[in-house]
Amino acid sequence: MRSISNYKYNFLLIAFTCLSYTTCFSQIDSVQFYKSKISELTGGPDFTEDNTAYIDNLNYLSYYSRLIEQDSMLVYSEKALELSLKNNYKQGELEALTNLATLFLYTGDTDKSIEYTLQVIESPLLSTYPKTEMKVYNVQGQANFFKQDYPATYANFLHALSIAEKQNDLFFLFRMNMNLGTIFSKLENYNEALAYYDKALEVTQNLKDPTKDVMLLSNLAYLNIKLNNLDEAKIHLDKCLKLFESQTNKTWLAWTQYTLGYYNQAKNNFDTALDYYKKALVLHENFNDVKSKADIIYGIAGTFLSKDNLPLAEENILESIALYKASNHDSGLEQAYRILYQIKKQQNDVAESLKYLEMTEKLSYDNFKKKNTRNLTMLNARLNYEKETEELKAQSELALSQQRKYIKWALAALITLIIIVFIILNANRREKILNKKLAKQAEVLNENQNALKQINHNQDRLFSIVGHDLRSPIISLNEILGLYLEDPEGKEYFEKFAPQLKEDIEQVQFTMDNLLHWGKTQMQGSTVNIKSILVKEELDIILQLYRNEIKKKSIVVNNQVAANHSVFADLQQFNIIFRNLINNAIKFTPNNGMITISTKIKNKNLVIEVSDTGVGMTETDVQKLFSSSENFSSYGTNSEKGTGLGLRLVKAMVIKNNGEIMVKSEPNKGSQFIVELPIDIK
């Protein structure tokens, strides 16, 4: 079997799997114990491999070998599975499959791990064995976390936690609350993480295990610093240090040293913070944990920056950037680039500071978008779980209610047959009324849910556009104006960047127009003022608006629109439709390309075609253009920006004007947008 070398698995195994053991010595002791048990069984005069006790001990031995003898774990698990299947021993079979899932989780093959967990979960007898059920959902949750399927992770851990609560299993109550706190901490949802860690803290009072106390207190201290609860963090750190007088776990000592550095940095005790950071760094030399090492060096850089030691701050922040890149940690990269921007700004290196500011803002936008999407999916997972829980509760209550009714009916039967019939008829009548009410409420809830989904989607899209496409140019303008007013050479930089800023501001204006009109299309009751429009006259005005962009890219515009062709449509919406289509054609047509606009009469409609010789699109991209569920946007041939909103707005307005829109495109062969609107026959 191959061992895990990838830092992600090492880091997450520290976060998750350390909850299942105290030290490696306890693992070794357990392995030796179950080897002795098996030796006693096999040495007996009446021993056969069909003995379920032998299968159980094979499974125990397999489980406790997971960290120290993974090759042996495979042998034990497969042997236990073989014997369980042979003897139709379901508990042994499910436990062996769970151990195989655990093995592949620890060796990094998450897909194989999930494959085994699904075999266990699909068994109708799994709920009969709550220990195995908790274990398999915990393994599946960890595997899904490695695959970054956070909603599935959340649902798996919640399921295991609900079983632990029913069974009052203190070990799994602690374990699952810690795991849930860990995933929310990694996802930077610190309030949610703190809530689960607080629940775990209540459980530890009964477990009396110093190792678990250290893990929990270290995490609580870190989260309270993140939430600026410094006094609370200090209490947890002091308790940690006291426990370390009798503990030797270097992993959690390193984490506590880092947290102490973070705490002292927050308290502006920079020399003390540096000492703790350096101690943590020395301990991390023995771990293959790239992300945590990057965090420590980032903390050192921030401390040097606070002490105005710019050379050492820059040296450390560059090292942390390299580590964050190696670990694909975008949030870390964002904060590191922001410090590098501040360093370059203090060094009066304007060009470099602007470069790192732009990199920071791009990462900030990307991380913001990912976080919004992740939060929405996690919220959806929670709502689905709560809904399922409520449904199960309702079913249980209904079943209990029915049982009570049957008892009443049985008692009533002893009194009189007439009373029994009366109760049954009355119950049926009430049940029908209740079913009708429930059906009506379900219909209302479904409508409300659809409306809420649309509102959330629109809100997410609005935040995305405002947060990046409108905010970024304004931030750039603010920085340039600041340089212009504060720096002696600011005028030179202003004149250098002014043309680009002008284009950015024009794009902001165009985006704002689209945004406002898109907002109107989302409002109920928006009106359309239909009138006769001379197509060529309006398209000539639009082309004149884009004359600079056309000239800049040396694009040839072939305007074949007939002078007498006209349509019935809303004038303002007509202009918005073709401003967007012509703007897109310019954006995706390379220098010296051609744009052709033509019209023809088809039945009672006028067909207006806007064609270009640009980069074109795949069939998959074409299907995404007008989608309300997917955001499709890309940069133009000269890196022109887009929001992905324009074509959705175009389609909405074409439909409002009783028209149709179609797209034909092939990669590297250009695109053709075809709009049909009612014709005005003169």
Side-chain angles (χ1 to χ4, degrees):
M1 298 297 294
R2 60 186 177 88
S3 61
I4 305 173
S5 59
N6 187 295
Y7 82 94
K8 291 182 179 178
Y9 288 101
N10 290 337
F11 178 76
L12 290 172
L13 287 175
I14 290 171
F16 288 130
T17 63
C18 63
L19 301 179
S20 63
Y21 63 98
T22 303
T23 66
C24 284
F25 295 110
S26 66
Q27 292 287 304
I28 295 170
D29 290 343
S30 297
V31 168
Q32 292 303 324
F33 174 79
Y34 287 108
K35 281 184 177 179
S36 298
K37 290 280 289 183
I38 290 173
S39 179
E40 290 176 10
L41 285 170
T42 55
D46 300 323
F47 170 75
T48 66
E49 288 189 338
D50 297 339
N51 189 335
T52 57
Y54 173 66
I55 298 173
D56 289 339
N57 280 285
L58 277 176
N59 276 322
Y60 291 138
L61 181 58
S62 170
Y63 179 72
Y64 285 105
S65 300
R66 66 195 185 282
L67 294 176
I68 55 178
E69 294 180 6
Q70 291 178 350
D71 289 332
S72 299
M73 182 182 184
L74 178 63
V75 175
Y76 301 144
S77 298
E78 289 181 339
K79 182 68 174 178
L81 180 61
E82 176 188 352
L83 294 174
S84 296
L85 292 171
K86 177 183 175 182
N87 294 284
N88 196 27
Y89 180 37
K90 203 63 182 179
Q91 183 177 4
E93 175 190 347
L94 297 178
E95 189 69 20
L97 289 170
T98 301
N99 285 337
L100 285 168
T102 304
L103 172 65
F104 286 105
L105 172 71
Y106 279 55
T107 55
D109 193 344
T110 52
D111 290 331
K112 195 73 173 176
S113 177
I114 291 175
E115 179 181 332
Y116 278 105
T117 61
L118 290 175
Q119 290 185 48
V120 179
I121 290 169
E122 288 170 1
S123 171
L125 296 176
L126 177 60
S127 59
T128 312
Y129 315 109
K131 288 278 188 186
T132 305
E133 188 175 12
M134 286 186 286
K135 188 190 296 184
V136 74
Y137 274 100
N138 180 43
V139 172
Q140 191 179 64
Q142 293 179 45
N144 281 312
F145 190 87
F146 292 146
K147 294 173 72 66
Q148 298 185 9
D149 187 351
Y150 304 122
T153 301
Y154 183 55
N156 293 143
F157 286 168
L158 281 178
H159 187 90
L161 178 61
S162 68
I163 300 169
E165 289 172 345
K166 292 176 184 176
Q167 299 294 319
N168 195 28
D169 188 312
L170 294 180
F171 174 74
F172 266 96
L173 279 172
F174 172 79
R175 186 176 193 176
M176 300 322 302
N177 276 301
M178 278 289 288
N179 282 2
L180 284 161
T182 298
I183 65 170
F184 281 105
S185 180
K186 302 307 172 193
L187 298 178
E188 300 178 354
N189 189 340
Y190 301 117
N191 284 308
E192 194 76 10
L194 191 60
Y196 283 109
Y197 282 145
D198 283 337
K199 292 178 182 177
L201 186 61
E202 295 176 8
V203 179
T204 56
Q205 296 173 3
N206 296 316
L207 287 175
K208 302 185 186 304
D209 186 334
T211 303
K212 292 180 174 57
D213 290 337
V214 166
M215 291 188 293
L216 185 53
L217 290 169
S218 296
N219 286 333
L220 282 169
Y222 176 77
L223 288 177
N224 276 289
I225 296 170
K226 281 289 186 183
L227 295 169
N228 203 31
N229 301 329
L230 299 183
D231 293 338
E232 190 72 19
K234 185 64 166 59
I235 293 171
H236 294 313
L237 286 169
D238 289 341
K239 290 180 180 178
C240 260
L241 292 175
K242 187 174 181 180
L243 286 168
F244 273 120
E245 293 174 4
S246 59
Q247 294 292 310
T248 58
N249 190 312
K250 291 186 178 181
T251 300
W252 289 100
L253 178 59
W255 172 244
T256 303
Q257 298 282 17
Y258 165 75
T259 307
L260 281 162
Y262 191 27
Y263 167 79
N264 280 284
Q265 186 178 3
K267 296 286 287 186
N268 296 328
N269 301 327
F270 301 120
D271 291 331
T272 306
L274 276 174
D275 288 340
Y276 280 119
Y277 280 142
K278 289 175 181 177
K279 290 177 182 177
L281 195 59
V282 170
L283 288 170
H284 267 79
E285 293 302 325
N286 299 316
F287 309 144
N288 187 20
D289 184 356
V290 181
K291 187 266 179 189
S292 292
K293 185 176 180 180
D295 287 341
I296 296 170
I297 297 172
Y298 168 81
I300 292 173
T303 306
F304 277 126
L305 179 61
S306 299
K307 290 166 63 68
D308 294 325
N309 191 336
L310 299 184
L312 283 178
E314 183 173 2
E315 177 185 335
N316 281 279
I317 204 66
L318 289 174
E319 184 178 354
S320 75
I321 286 173
L323 293 171
Y324 281 133
K325 285 182 178 179
S327 59
N328 297 319
H329 189 58
D330 289 341
S331 296
L333 269 178
E334 178 191 339
Q335 64 183 12
Y337 279 135
R338 195 174 296 280
I339 280 191
L340 195 52
Y341 155 71
Q342 294 171 359
I343 292 171
K344 292 300 181 183
K345 188 174 182 180
Q346 290 188 32
Q347 292 174 341
N348 295 321
D349 191 342
V350 178
E352 284 293 295
S353 68
L354 286 176
K355 180 180 80 172
Y356 288 118
L357 175 63
E358 184 176 351
M359 293 169 73
T360 301
E361 292 301 324
K362 185 179 185 304
L363 276 170
S364 176
Y365 167 70
D366 292 339
N367 291 336
F368 175 78
K369 188 174 180 180
K370 289 177 184 175
K371 190 172 183 180
N372 275 350
T373 302
R374 188 171 63 228
N375 288 342
L376 285 173
T377 55
M378 291 293 283
L379 176 61
N380 186 53
R382 172 185 286 183
L383 291 174
N384 286 339
Y385 176 79
E386 291 175 350
K387 181 181 177 182
E388 290 173 2
T389 303
E390 288 299 320
E391 287 176 351
L392 289 173
K393 184 179 178 182
Q395 289 174 4
S396 298
E397 290 177 352
L398 183 60
L400 183 60
S401 175
Q402 290 293 340
Q403 289 175 1
R404 289 172 179 169
K405 286 181 181 179
Y406 295 149
I407 292 172
K408 290 179 180 179
W409 293 341
L411 292 174
L414 298 174
I415 302 172
T416 176
L417 181 61
I418 297 175
I419 296 176
I420 292 176
V421 174
F422 174 79
I423 292 174
I424 293 174
L425 292 175
N426 189 50
N428 288 338
R429 181 181 62 82
R430 285 185 300 180
E431 187 176 351
K432 288 179 182 179
I433 294 172
L434 180 60
N435 286 338
K436 288 180 180 179
K437 288 182 178 179
L438 288 174
K440 188 174 182 180
Q441 289 175 355
E443 185 179 341
V444 172
L445 284 173
N446 188 50
E447 291 175 358
N448 291 340
Q449 185 180 19
N450 291 336
L452 181 59
K453 283 182 181 178
Q454 185 60 41
I455 290 169
N456 285 340
H457 178 75
N458 292 342
Q459 175 180 279
D460 184 53
R461 189 74 196 104
L462 179 62
F463 283 156
S464 173
I465 294 168
V466 173
H468 181 261
D469 297 278
L470 303 184
R471 184 169 176 260
S472 294
I474 292 172
I475 289 174
S476 299
L477 176 60
N478 184 50
E479 288 291 330
I480 293 297
L481 288 176
L483 288 172
Y484 181 83
L485 296 174
E486 299 169 6
D487 196 308
E489 298 178 0
K491 183 175 181 181
E492 179 183 343
Y493 283 100
F494 183 82
E495 291 175 351
K496 178 180 178 180
F497 290 104
Q500 180 60 44
L501 286 173
K502 182 177 182 298
E503 291 183 7
D504 286 346
I505 294 302
E506 288 175 349
Q507 185 62 33
V508 168
Q509 182 180 357
F510 180 68
T511 302
M512 283 293 294
D513 288 343
N514 273 347
L515 194 59
L516 290 171
H517 287 291
W518 174 72
K520 287 182 179 179
T521 64
Q522 304 305 305
M523 296 171 60
Q524 296 181 354
S526 58
T527 59
V528 178
N529 299 316
I530 302 296
K531 60 183 293 186
S532 178
I533 300 171
L534 280 171
V535 175
K536 181 173 176 55
E537 181 179 307
E538 295 302 324
L539 292 181
D540 285 342
I541 294 172
I542 294 172
L543 288 170
Q544 187 64 18
L545 291 174
Y546 290 106
R547 63 186 181 280
N548 290 335
E549 288 83 351
I550 293 170
K551 182 178 180 182
K552 183 176 179 181
K553 297 180 78 170
S554 301
I555 294 172
V556 175
V557 178
N558 185 8
N559 190 346
Q560 300 178 1
V561 178
N564 64 334
H565 281 172
S566 59
V567 295
F568 276 121
D570 182 289
L571 178 59
Q572 187 179 39
Q573 294 186 7
F574 178 90
N575 283 320
I576 291 169
I577 291 167
F578 287 98
R579 275 188 65 188
N580 275 282
L581 294 182
I582 292 171
N583 178 67
N584 277 356
I586 295 169
K587 181 165 70 170
F588 294 107
T589 299
N591 295 344
N592 302 311
M594 177 181 288
I595 296 173
T596 302
I597 307 174
S598 63
T599 56
K600 63 181 179 181
I601 297 174
K602 177 183 175 183
N603 298 328
K604 295 182 180 181
N605 291 331
L606 183 67
V607 179
I608 308 170
E609 298 180 2
V610 179
S611 306
D612 62 63
T613 59
V615 296
M617 294 172 286
T618 65
E619 184 177 348
T620 302
D621 288 342
V622 169
Q623 293 174 355
K624 295 179 182 178
L625 285 180
F626 303 115
S627 174
S628 61
S629 60
E630 295 189 60
N631 177 39
F632 180 73
S633 177
S634 58
Y635 287 90
T637 57
N638 285 358
S639 298
E640 300 96 329
K641 297 179 180 178
T643 66
L645 179 64
L647 289 176
R648 288 168 56 196
L649 179 62
V650 165
K651 182 174 182 180
M653 288 189 171
V654 168
I655 292 172
K656 278 183 174 289
N657 285 274
N658 302 313
E660 295 180 2
I661 183 168
M662 294 167 286
V663 184
K664 297 179 181 178
S665 184
E666 292 184 36
N668 302 317
K669 292 186 179 181
S671 300
Q672 184 180 24
F673 285 82
I674 305 163
V675 178
E676 291 188 19
L677 292 171
I679 197 170
D680 179 15
I681 302 175
K682 294 187 177 180

